[in-house]
Amino acid sequence: MRGLTSWLDKGKYRAWAFPVAALVAGLLLATTELAYHGAGSRLTRLAAMDQARFELLRVLRRITDAESGERGFLLTNGPEYLAPYQSARADVFDGMQRLEQLYLDIGDANAEVHRKRIASLVVSKLSEMEEVLRIEAAGQRETALEMVRTGIGRDQMEQLRKEVDELLHQQNQASREALGSIYDTLLMNRLGVLVLTIVGLAVLAAFLRQSRLLDQELLVRQAEVQAERDRLEREVERRTEDLKELASHLQTAREDERARLARELHDELGALLTAAKLDVARIRPKLLQAAPDLQPRLAHLVEALNSGIALKRRIIEDLRPSTLNSLGLVPALEILCGESAERLGIPIHARLQPVRLAPGADLVVFRVVQESLTNIAKYAKASRVDVSLRLDDGEAVVEVTDDGAGFDASQTARGSHGLRGMRFRVEAERGRLQIRSSPGRGTTLTARLPVAPEPDPSGEPADAASKSA
């Protein structure tokens, strides 16, 4: 059993297991069918042999009855004995015809030889009895009795019984052999069923073992796949964190570079423009006295210097809003909304509530509103813009709404880095950004950011106070 199971576990049976199983099943089925038909034919032959024995004994009994009727008639001369004799005689002839047909069906040559002898003896015996009765009917009673006393009839009956006994003995022997063959067939069937049952149980045990091994292997594979999936998820998380850190670093570097450029423009370019404006103011009286016709050119130069100073201030405010550091978030947003309304030529309604945010979050809110207004100027074609800043359920909520063209928010085009940049800025501060828009129905951008913890009255930061507690 162990060797068979090992063989099945190795999978060597897979290529030809089904043909072998089909061949074995076909052989068992053919053997069973042949045994069934053989046993059926033997049982039919046994039934015919039993019927033949019954008819043979019946013929012998009816001959005895006919002989008794004959003897009774000879002794008593009573006609009542002739009726049993005639009836027995007719039955004997019918029985002999049935025996002939039965032994023809049986197909036993030796039995057929004995049957013919029995038929000949029966005919002789019936002829002897008929002759005796004919002589007695002719009035020669003594002659008839003398024929009976000669013992011819007795010898014929003894020979007839001997032939019947031999035929019955032969039939009984044939019956025993047929029964033995049937028992052998039944035994072979039992052995075949036993072997088939053992093989079936062995195959079932091997199949169950193989199924159990496959289940175990499947569990191992699933564990390996799950481990690999967990490893990949950890790797993705690690790479995502690395990308977030890199993006945060780039954003910080970008803001630092903007601040450096703003300082450079303020210190260097501002000083140059201011010095140029002062030099123009100093030489202006002398030029007007020496060359009055240069008055328009001086006025244009002063106007150009003032425009350059205003442009420098606007560029510096775009790079690094000084109002955010000096005045706070709400005044900086009010100034931004006012300047954007003048530049766009549309009303911008600002409803701004003071909120307390982390130091970096103020700049995030300012950039979100600034980028939103820039997008509205480029794409929205809006006639009204609403900007709000409020507290909601412990969070700071900034919302920018326009009634412009809108877009399909579920199909943001590749390359729209402005929205992605805003989302990253908000998520970097542990916030959430939501964009609701549809074509022709405007756009609403909502950013939720956590508020800064209230300062501890003792002067310690809230985190430090919680840790000491």
Side-chain angles (χ1 to χ4, degrees), residues 72-89:
F73 178 75
L74 290 175
L75 292 176
T76 62
N77 202 19
E80 66 271 11
Y81 288 98
L82 288 179
Y85 166 78
Q86 296 296 335
S87 175
R89 179 184 174 86

Side-chain angles (χ1 to χ4, degrees), residues 317 321-340 350-357 362 365-366 369 373 387 389:
E317 288 297 320
S322 60
T323 55
L324 184 63
N325 295 329
S326 59
L327 301 178
L329 179 60
V330 173
L333 290 177
E334 289 176 347
I335 294 172
L336 176 63
C337 291
E339 292 178 351
S340 299
R351 298 185 299 276
L352 306 174
Q353 177 183 350
V355 295
R356 185 179 183 86
L357 296 171
D362 289 341
V365 172
F366 184 85
V369 176
L373 295 176
V387 179
L389 177 64

Side-chain angles (χ1 to χ4, degrees), residues 320 324-325 328-329 355-366 389 391 394-396 425-426 428-431 448-454 463:
R320 184 72 178 182
L324 184 63
N325 295 329
L329 179 60
V355 295
R356 185 179 183 86
L357 296 171
D362 289 341
L363 181 59
V364 171
V365 172
F366 184 85
L389 177 64
L391 284 173
E395 291 180 323
R425 285 177 179 271
V426 173
E429 295 295 330
R430 293 175 293 126
R448 292 178 174 270
L449 293 161
V451 298
E454 294 293 334
D463 295 339

Side-chain angles (χ1 to χ4, degrees), residues 38-262:
S41 63
R42 292 187 186 95
L43 288 173
T44 303
R45 191 164 182 267
L46 283 175
M49 291 170 66
D50 289 338
Q51 184 67 28
R53 284 196 296 270
F54 173 77
E55 289 295 336
L56 191 60
L57 293 174
R58 187 169 181 274
V59 166
L60 185 60
R61 179 174 62 82
R62 295 304 286 168
I63 289 177
T64 304
D65 293 340
E67 187 180 31
S68 298
E70 177 212 20
R71 299 293 173 86
F73 178 75
L74 290 175
L75 292 176
T76 62
N77 202 19
E80 66 271 11
Y81 288 98
L82 288 179
Y85 166 78
Q86 296 296 335
S87 175
R89 179 184 174 86
D91 288 342
V92 168
F93 282 109
D94 292 338
M96 292 305 298
Q97 291 178 356
R98 287 193 292 269
L99 279 175
E100 182 179 3
Q101 184 62 41
L102 287 173
Y103 281 109
L104 181 64
D105 295 337
I106 292 172
D108 190 347
N110 294 328
E112 181 64 16
V113 171
H114 286 284
R115 185 198 68 77
K116 290 181 178 180
R117 291 176 184 174
I118 292 172
S120 177
L121 291 172
V122 167
V123 171
S124 298
K125 178 62 178 176
L126 292 177
S127 298
E128 182 266 337
M129 288 189 291
E130 185 67 22
E131 182 63 21
V132 170
L133 291 177
R134 186 185 64 78
I135 293 173
E136 196 277 337
Q140 300 176 4
R141 180 178 181 81
E142 290 298 329
T143 304
L145 291 176
E146 186 62 28
M147 286 184 64
V148 172
R149 294 189 189 99
T150 59
I152 297 174
R154 183 178 67 252
D155 294 339
Q156 290 177 341
M157 283 300 297
E158 288 179 357
Q159 190 175 359
L160 178 62
R161 289 190 181 94
K162 182 179 179 181
E163 288 293 335
V164 170
D165 289 340
E166 290 181 1
L167 181 56
L168 290 178
H169 176 73
Q170 180 182 346
Q171 293 297 297
N172 290 333
Q173 184 66 27
S175 298
R176 284 192 296 269
E177 292 177 358
L179 286 175
S181 178
I182 292 174
Y183 285 136
D184 292 340
T185 302
L186 293 176
L187 179 60
M188 292 300 295
N189 286 336
R190 291 181 62 187
L191 291 177
V193 172
L194 178 61
V195 171
L196 183 61
T197 302
I198 293 174
V199 172
L201 290 176
V203 172
L204 178 61
F207 175 76
L208 292 177
R209 176 181 172 82
Q210 184 73 8
S211 299
R212 184 170 64 254
L213 292 177
L214 290 177
D215 292 339
Q216 293 175 357
E217 184 177 358
L218 179 60
L219 291 176
V220 172
R221 298 296 183 209
Q222 289 178 349
E224 292 176 354
V225 170
Q226 185 63 38
E228 182 66 16
R229 184 181 301 168
D230 295 339
R231 188 188 67 80
L232 292 176
E233 289 180 355
R234 289 193 298 270
E235 184 68 18
V236 169
E237 290 176 358
R238 186 181 66 80
R239 295 292 181 87
T240 303
E241 291 297 327
D242 292 342
L243 291 176
K244 284 183 178 180
E245 291 179 2
L246 178 59
S248 178
H249 172 72
L250 293 176
Q251 289 289 344
T252 303
R254 179 184 179 189
E255 292 297 335
D256 293 342
E257 184 64 19
R258 283 186 171 189
R260 188 188 66 79
L261 289 175

Side-chain angles (χ1 to χ4, degrees), residues 269-456:
L269 183 60
L272 290 175
L273 292 175
T274 302
K277 187 175 181 181
L278 290 175
D279 290 340
V280 170
R282 289 192 189 99
I283 66 175
R284 183 176 183 180
K286 296 180 180 181
L287 287 175
L288 291 177
Q289 292 177 2
D293 57 332
L294 296 178
Q295 173 64 27
R297 292 185 176 275
L298 288 174
H300 183 268
L301 178 59
V302 172
E303 184 179 353
L305 289 173
N306 289 333
S307 298
I309 292 172
L311 177 61
K312 181 265 302 181
R313 185 181 298 111
R314 188 166 63 252
I315 291 174
I316 290 175
E317 288 297 320
D318 289 339
L319 291 174
R320 184 72 178 182
S322 60
T323 55
L324 184 63
N325 295 329
S326 59
L327 301 178
L329 179 60
V330 173
L333 290 177
E334 289 176 347
I335 294 172
L336 176 63
C337 291
E339 292 178 351
S340 299
E342 292 180 2
R343 187 170 67 253
L344 298 176
I346 59 175
I348 298 178
H349 302 275
R351 298 185 299 276
L352 306 174
Q353 177 183 350
V355 295
R356 185 179 183 86
L357 296 171
D362 289 341
L363 181 59
V364 171
V365 172
F366 184 85
R367 292 300 186 195
V368 167
V369 176
Q370 186 182 43
E371 185 69 24
S372 299
L373 295 176
T374 301
N375 291 337
I376 291 172
K378 290 181 179 179
Y379 312 112
K381 300 179 182 180
S383 60
R384 176 188 174 92
V385 179
D386 293 308
V387 179
S388 66
L389 177 64
R390 65 185 187 276
L391 284 173
D392 183 16
D393 197 16
E395 291 180 323
V397 181
V398 59
E399 191 171 80
V400 180
T401 303
D402 67 80
D403 60 352
F407 62 96
D408 189 356
S410 63
Q411 298 181 355
T412 305
R414 296 180 63 87
S416 56
H417 302 297
L419 295 177
R420 290 189 175 91
M422 282 191 287
R423 186 179 300 278
F424 173 77
R425 285 177 179 271
V426 173
E427 291 178 354
E429 295 295 330
R430 293 175 293 126
R432 305 186 305 278
L433 181 70
Q434 183 182 12
I435 301 174
R436 299 189 302 275
S437 181
S438 59
R441 296 189 178 183
T443 303
T444 299
L445 184 144
T446 304
R448 292 178 174 270
L449 293 161
V451 298
E454 294 293 334
D456 189 69

